[in-house]
Amino acid sequence: MSKEVGRGLVVLLHTGVRLGELFAMRGEDIRNGEAHVLTLKRKKGEGQRHRVIPLHKKALEAIGDAKPGPLMPMTRNSFEASYKKGLKGLGLTRTRLHDFRHTWATKYMESTGDLAGLMRLGGWKDYASMDRYQHMTKGRSSAILGLDFGL
């Protein structure tokens, strides 16, 4: 797994951002331990939205000195292909990129119990959509937490 992919996975695991938000992050938009991300809304016709994402210490360490321009210097397709190839080598073929968001939400609730904070940090507007994220199986969550990100 390349360093860029490892860096992206650490950011996914420690921030709970969506994959599209990871690829929307730009070096110049990271300041004071936060990423200021402009992303597309999911529903047709809603345009773009601005979201401030607090960056966990481990995510900031993985990012390092962010230079102007895209945080991920690769396409989303090449990122996903490299990720899948790396997981196959580790025997973790059933782990999806989106599982990193689920793992983050589960670990956040286990450590804080703060439902309102989880909804705010994860960008959910209602409880029903957020509730789906707390069902990670221990096997997948443990597999993700045990990954060597190659940093």
Side-chain angles (χ1 to χ4, degrees):
M1 200 175 306
S2 72
K3 279 198 182 268
E4 290 85 13
V5 172
R7 197 172 297 131
L9 295 177
V10 169
V11 172
L12 288 172
L13 180 61
H14 292 287
T15 61
V17 297
R18 297 169 182 94
L19 194 56
E21 291 172 330
L22 175 66
F23 280 88
M25 284 185 187
R26 300 184 58 80
E28 61 269 25
D29 297 328
I30 297 172
R31 53 189 178 272
N32 301 324
E34 296 178 330
H36 300 257
V37 181
L38 190 63
T39 59
L40 296 175
K41 285 215 173 179
R42 294 183 177 267
K43 294 181 183 173
K44 190 174 180 178
E46 289 186 353
Q48 295 181 329
R49 66 185 174 111
H50 183 83
R51 183 157 112 84
V52 176
I53 300 162
L55 297 171
H56 185 280
K57 179 182 174 187
K58 290 186 180 182
L60 284 169
E61 288 171 0
I63 292 168
D65 292 331
K67 295 172 182 47
L71 185 65
M72 296 304 299
M74 57 187 2
T75 66
R76 187 171 169 163
N77 286 342
S78 61
F79 179 86
E80 289 179 8
S82 179
Y83 166 77
K84 286 177 183 175
K85 183 179 177 183
L87 284 187
K88 193 173 188 178
L90 296 171
L92 300 173
T93 55
R94 294 191 62 211
T95 303
R96 306 165 302 153
L97 280 168
H98 198 68
D99 290 337
F100 284 74
R101 185 164 163 83
H102 288 258
T103 300
W104 169 81
T106 300
K107 297 308 279 178
Y108 182 88
M109 281 305 291
E110 286 175 356
S111 64
T112 68
D114 179 13
L115 186 60
L118 177 64
M119 288 180 70
R120 181 178 46 78
L121 293 173
W124 293 286
K125 296 213 181 334
D126 60 68
Y127 176 78
S129 62
M130 183 274 316
D131 191 46
R132 291 186 296 229
Y133 284 80
Q134 297 183 62
H135 70 278
M136 281 298 294
T137 64
K138 287 199 183 275
R140 275 194 193 172
S141 188
S142 296
I144 287 171
L145 293 171
L147 285 176
D148 174 13
F149 295 104
L151 299 178

